[in-house]
Amino acid sequence: MAYEEAGRDRSAEPSSGVPAVVLETVFDDPTHGEPGRDRIGVHLGWELLLLAGLVALGWLLWQDNSGAVRGENLRTLLVDAVGLGLLALAAGLSLRTAAPNLAIGPIAVAAALHYAEQGDRGLPASVGPAVAVAALGGLALALAVVVLHVPGWAASLAGAAGVVVYIERRSAPVLVQGDYDPGRSAGYLFAGFAAVAVLGGLFGAIRAIRRLVGRYRPVADPARRRGVVAAVVTAVALVGSTVLAALAGVLLAANDPGPVAPTSGLDWTMLAIGVTLLAGTSAYGRRGGVFGIVLAVSLVTVFQTYAPERGWTLSNWAVGGAALGVGLLVTRLVETFGRPRPGSTDKPEPVGDGTISTGWAMSQTQSVDNWPPTLPTPAAPQPVDPWRDPRWEDSPRRWNADER
């Protein structure tokens, strides 16, 4: 099945005045791209607000119950943050490619149930099959999305229904059979999660990678294909999101001393997407921050620990719905103030080989499309008046006899 490249006409000259050849190398779609760089300042400003909220909430938790952030409780808190963080990374990876994966919650619950049943066989033997099945399921989901070119949320919702059917085969909660304790390496797990999240945000701030990851984002008719590159990037993101969701489920199951309940897991999907939008990731895809995932995950995890101290009983649905509502406002903020400045243009690359040039590169004064250069059009000749011919003189001519 062929993938048409919408707007790949080099002869098209956009209204911005930037040559189409330049836009071809800068934008994912030269006829619809916005000249200029995305503004990251709006993300950094929002992340400062998240940091302030995290500091304030952490201080309140310390005042009410300082034991909640000490010793074993702190290690449990960090592992819970990593589990939610992996789910948020899975949601953010699919959102950045404009193909949200709504099946991450059910996948996490299914992986948790599998680990609870098979944990006594050892960590590799119990986690390996769960990750492999999640990768195959993600590949099937990716093929459905990119080959049929259907919305990711719709295809993943159908996949989530299939995973829920697998979950409903258990009629009672399952006790974890393994003895793996992630709390013993809680600090390393949280540091690894934070490093992956921040490095991903830094790479996502690079213009080329930012536009490559968000290439699947529609710019005109959403039903039109966005090209082979967009399909490959989206497929990789969907497979990665299912694998991250399975790892999150295993980690959460191993960290919880109680049994794993066979729930639908859609509440975890709601919570993960809400946290991702709260972090500054756009619901339309492509745009996102740098430190937002780490800060938003930490904020929500601390809040879920602080809420029982105040006597509040809040489910994942409540917390996820509130985070999603605020995240939609953040999306509007990001899309309004994060797009390139009006009238900004990207300068074309120099003709030479950059800083190592020896100076022999000639500057390009004309477009290569006009080669060979056309000669200047000569001026139209003036009409000659026959009555002004030199043979006709105005003065009388003297007769010479020698001319005879």
Side-chain angles (χ1 to χ4, degrees):
M1 184 174 293
Y3 286 88
E4 64 262 22
E5 293 278 359
R8 294 286 176 181
D9 186 7
R10 290 182 178 267
S11 63
E13 193 75 17
S15 60
S16 63
V18 182
V21 176
V22 176
L23 289 178
E24 181 76 19
T25 62
V26 173
F27 302 114
D28 53 339
D29 195 325
T31 60
H32 301 96
E34 296 172 297
R37 299 175 182 270
D38 287 347
R39 289 176 282 179
I40 307 297
V42 62
H43 296 281
L44 298 179
W46 174 249
E47 288 165 3
L48 286 177
L49 293 178
L50 289 177
L51 178 60
L54 176 60
V55 171
L57 194 58
W59 183 81
L60 291 175
L61 178 60
W62 176 271
Q63 292 295 317
D64 283 0
N65 183 12
S66 61
V69 290
R70 288 180 178 177
E72 188 67 26
N73 292 330
L74 177 60
R75 289 190 286 270
T76 301
L77 185 68
L78 289 177
V79 176
D80 285 339
V82 175
L84 178 58
L86 291 178
L87 278 176
L89 285 177
L93 188 60
S94 62
L95 278 174
R96 290 288 285 264
T97 56
N101 186 359
L102 302 185
I104 55 176
I107 290 173
V109 173
L113 289 170
H114 174 81
Y115 171 74
E117 295 172 346
Q118 307 294 329
D120 55 348
R121 300 174 53 190
L123 196 61
S126 57
V127 177
V131 172
V133 171
L136 291 176
L139 182 60
L141 173 63
L143 291 177
V145 171
V146 301
V147 173
L148 299 178
H149 194 75
V150 294
W153 66 266
S156 62
L157 191 60
V163 179
V164 171
V165 171
Y166 167 81
I167 295 173
E168 288 180 344
R169 296 174 58 187
R170 281 86 174 168
S171 58
V174 180
L175 287 172
V176 178
Q177 304 298 317
D179 56 355
Y180 170 63
D181 182 14
R184 291 176 295 184
S185 55
Y188 296 105
L189 289 173
F190 186 82
F193 152 69
V196 171
V198 172
L199 287 176
L202 288 174
F203 278 109
I206 300 174
R207 181 184 61 181
I209 298 178
R210 192 181 187 90
R211 294 186 181 275
L212 176 65
V213 172
R215 194 181 178 93
Y216 200 73
R217 169 173 166 161
V219 293
D221 184 359
R224 296 195 64 177
R225 300 183 185 276
R226 298 289 292 142
V228 177
V229 175
V232 172
V233 171
T234 304
V236 172
L238 288 173
V239 173
S241 66
T242 56
V243 171
L244 288 173
L247 293 175
V250 171
L251 197 61
L252 292 173
N255 192 50
D256 191 352
V260 179
T263 60
S264 67
L266 292 177
D267 55 336
W268 285 103
T269 297
M270 168 72 75
L271 182 61
I273 292 181
V275 169
T276 305
L277 294 182
L278 182 65
T281 303
S282 173
Y284 296 102
R286 194 181 83 180
R287 294 189 168 95
V290 178
F291 305 97
I293 289 292
V294 177
L295 295 174
V297 166
S298 302
L299 179 64
V300 171
T301 304
V302 172
F303 176 76
Q304 288 181 317
T305 305
Y306 175 71
E309 301 294 335
R310 305 294 298 178
W312 303 336
T313 302
L314 300 175
S315 65
N316 287 342
W317 288 108
V319 178
L324 184 60
V326 177
L328 292 177
L329 298 178
V330 177
T331 289
R332 185 68 269 155
L333 181 72
V334 166
E335 289 293 334
T336 301
F337 299 103
R339 63 179 63 252
R341 296 182 183 276
S344 62
T345 58
D346 284 320
K347 296 181 180 180
E349 296 294 330
V351 179
D353 51 359
T355 57
I356 63 174
S357 176
T358 58
W360 292 99
M362 300 180 62
S363 60
Q364 183 176 348
T365 57
Q366 295 186 7
S367 173
V368 294
D369 296 337
N370 296 331
W371 182 261
T374 57
L375 296 176
T377 304
Q382 298 293 333
V384 179
D385 188 359
W387 297 104
R388 301 292 298 174
D389 192 270
R391 293 175 301 174
W392 301 92
E393 297 181 356
D394 296 337
S395 59
R397 187 177 181 185
R398 183 178 298 177
W399 180 76
N400 191 355
D402 295 338
E403 293 180 357
R404 301 186 59 186

